[in-house]
Amino acid sequence: FNAFKLVSGSRACPRATVCEPASVAIANRFDLLQDETETILIGSSMVRDQGKHFSSKNAKKRTNICYPGAKIKNIVSHVNELRIKGKQSRIITMVGSNDIFSFDKKERSTEVIYKDFVALTDSLNHKTENAVMVGVLPRLRENNFQLSKAIGLNERVKKMFQEKGITFLVYW
């Protein structure tokens, strides 16, 4: 029994249909900074090396503040202590990784972390009209459970931040 079939005289496969190219939405994630006044980037060690890139573009108006190991509650208290020039100042926060991917390996409930994010939104809205939150970023060498926990939390927090008028960015 021979399972192969001899093909000759015509194309073995029908021609593929040609589709119109899909349109791609293009966005500049730095549009927020086009007409900037004072901009403060504050967060855990994830913002540590951003200073040389972020601040160098406009050192007079941009400040980078890093608190290594900071959790959301720590950043809330630091945001409350910030002295800014006015409600038009922009505060960009990048925090949450130390809450999910904890080095002490103590499991924290996403409900507790979510409540901390609610407190952060309240602090940001109290300080400025131009708040931006960068979602929890993935870490190398984390297990799939922790990563899926971060993705799920980002989705929940994104809705809440948007409802409160705060720009939420996810860079996964």
Side-chain angles (χ1 to χ4, degrees), residues 61-76:
K61 293 186 178 182
R62 295 184 186 180
T63 307
N64 182 34
I65 306 171
C66 170
Y67 297 102
K71 296 191 175 184
I72 300 166
K73 284 184 178 183
N74 306 117
I75 297 299
V76 168

Side-chain angles (χ1 to χ4, degrees), residues 27-39 54 57-58 61-62 88 90 92 130 132:
N28 180 358
R29 61 182 163 189
F30 299 107
D31 276 345
L32 300 168
L33 303 175
Q34 292 297 330
D35 54 333
E36 71 181 290
T37 54
E38 173 188 35
T39 303
F54 175 74
K57 302 292 181 191
N58 191 348
K61 293 186 178 182
R62 295 184 186 180
Q88 294 302 314
R90 181 169 286 111
I92 304 172
N130 294 317
V132 178

Side-chain angles (χ1 to χ4, degrees), residues 3-137:
F4 293 102
K5 183 178 180 181
L6 181 63
V7 178
S8 62
S10 67
R11 296 181 62 84
C13 299
R15 289 185 182 225
T17 57
V18 178
C19 298
E20 292 295 318
S23 63
V24 177
I26 298 174
N28 180 358
R29 61 182 163 189
F30 299 107
D31 276 345
L32 300 168
L33 303 175
Q34 292 297 330
D35 54 333
E36 71 181 290
T37 54
E38 173 188 35
T39 303
I40 300 169
L41 174 62
I42 184 171
S44 63
S45 58
M46 291 288 213
V47 302
R48 177 183 293 134
D49 293 328
Q50 298 302 314
K52 55 188 152 194
H53 306 291
F54 175 74
S55 300
S56 66
K57 302 292 181 191
N58 191 348
K60 291 181 181 178
K61 293 186 178 182
R62 295 184 186 180
T63 307
N64 182 34
I65 306 171
C66 170
Y67 297 102
K71 296 191 175 184
I72 300 166
K73 284 184 178 183
N74 306 117
I75 297 299
V76 168
S77 65
H78 290 300
V79 165
N80 290 334
E81 295 169 4
L82 280 177
R83 293 176 190 234
I84 59 174
K85 293 179 181 172
K87 284 284 218 179
Q88 294 302 314
S89 296
R90 181 169 286 111
I91 301 174
I92 304 172
T93 55
M94 187 183 297
V95 68
S97 295
N98 291 329
D99 293 88
I100 293 178
F101 311 116
S102 182
F103 287 112
D104 58 12
K105 300 299 179 194
K106 290 182 181 173
E107 191 67 31
R108 291 197 67 212
S109 163
T110 54
E111 291 304 314
V112 172
I113 299 170
Y114 183 83
K115 288 178 183 174
D116 292 344
F117 274 119
V118 170
L120 180 60
T121 61
D122 294 340
S123 294
L124 289 170
N125 277 333
H126 178 71
K127 281 287 185 182
T128 182
E129 296 170 354
N130 294 317
V132 178
M133 175 67 199
V134 178
V136 177
L137 298 172

